[in-house]
Amino acid sequence: MERIPDHIKGLAVTTLGVLVLTPDSLLVRLIALDTWTMVFWRGLFMLLALGGFVLLYYRGEAPARFRAIGRTGLAVAVSFGVGTLLFVLALNNTSVANTLVIVAAAPLIAAVF
C-alpha cells in the first residue's frame, strides 16, 4: 500500500476542520445577537455541558476534581474563553470562510513552529 504524502494529509486535516466548524459558524452568523451576548450564552452552555459531564462522571469526587485543576486549569479556561470571544468577533467582523480557513489552518501553523 502506498504511503500518503504529508502534504495531502495536511490538506485533508484542514478540510475536515473547516467542515466540522462550518455549521457552528453559520449558526453564529444567523443568530441576531451582539458579540457579548453570544459569548455569554456559549460560555453558559459550555459550563453546563462540561460541568454536567464532570458531575455525572465523577459523582461524589466532582468538587475535589474542580478544585484540583489549579493554575494550569484556570489558564486553560481563560485561554478557551478568550478563544471563544475572538472566534465570535472574527465571525461578526469578517466572512465565515476567512475565519474558518484561519482556524482550520492553526494546527498546521503550530506544527510548523
Side-chain angles (χ1 to χ4, degrees):
M1 190 162 131
E2 280 187 47
R3 185 175 179 275
I4 300 172
D6 289 340
H7 180 73
I8 300 299
K9 287 181 188 176
L11 288 174
V13 169
T14 303
T15 303
L16 182 64
V18 170
L19 293 175
V20 168
L21 289 172
T22 300
D24 178 43
S25 304
L26 294 176
L27 288 174
V28 168
R29 291 295 292 262
L30 290 174
I31 297 172
L33 292 175
D34 64 291
T35 299
W36 291 105
T37 305
M38 177 71 68
V39 170
F40 169 79
W41 285 111
R42 285 174 64 102
L44 180 64
F45 286 127
M46 183 62 71
L47 170 72
L48 294 174
L50 291 176
F53 173 78
V54 170
L55 289 172
L56 287 173
Y57 189 79
Y58 292 110
R59 302 197 191 269
E61 295 179 35
R65 294 289 180 156
F66 280 116
R67 285 190 300 274
I69 66 170
R71 290 182 187 209
T72 304
L74 289 176
V76 168
V78 169
S79 296
F80 185 79
V82 169
T84 299
L85 172 63
L86 294 176
F87 179 70
V88 173
L89 279 170
L91 288 173
N92 288 335
N93 292 305
T94 189
S95 70
V96 171
N98 286 345
T99 303
L100 292 181
V101 167
I102 291 168
V103 169
L108 295 174
I109 294 167
V112 167
F113 286 124

